[in-house]
């Protein structure tokens, strides 16, 4: 059996402030929070993933060539 190789692979990491009240919250609960803010690079694969998996969150867009 032959498997296809992806053309693009992007690891996605989540970072939170050490004093965040969401550190002990499950990912399922995070996905429902409308006050959650997620920083994503504009027009990047992470932007698409954040839009899909966190539809209620506020997406804070940063320029493509910057560091989040």
């Amino acid at each position: 059996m032959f498997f296809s190789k992806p053309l693009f692979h992007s690891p996605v990491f989540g970072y939170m402030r050490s004093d965040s009240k969401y550190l002990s919250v499950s990912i399922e609960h995070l996905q429902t929070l409308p006050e959650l803010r997620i920083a994503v690079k504009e027009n990047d694969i992470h932007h698409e993933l954040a839009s899909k998996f966190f539809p209620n969150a506020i997406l804070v867009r940063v320029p493509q060539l910057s560091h989040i």
Side-chain angles (χ1 to χ4, degrees), residues 17-44:
R17 295 180 182 176
S18 59
D19 61 346
S20 175
K21 64 181 179 180
Y22 302 115
L23 281 177
S24 61
V25 177
S26 71
I27 190 75
E28 291 81 14
H29 183 66
L30 285 175
Q31 289 174 326
T32 64
L33 297 175
E35 71 272 10
L36 185 69
R37 291 179 183 220
I38 299 176
V40 294
K41 289 187 179 184
E42 220 167 9
N43 300 320
D44 188 71

Side-chain angles (χ1 to χ4, degrees), residues 1-9:
M1 177 176 274
F2 295 101
F3 294 99
S4 62
K5 292 184 179 181
L7 294 175
F8 183 81
H9 173 72

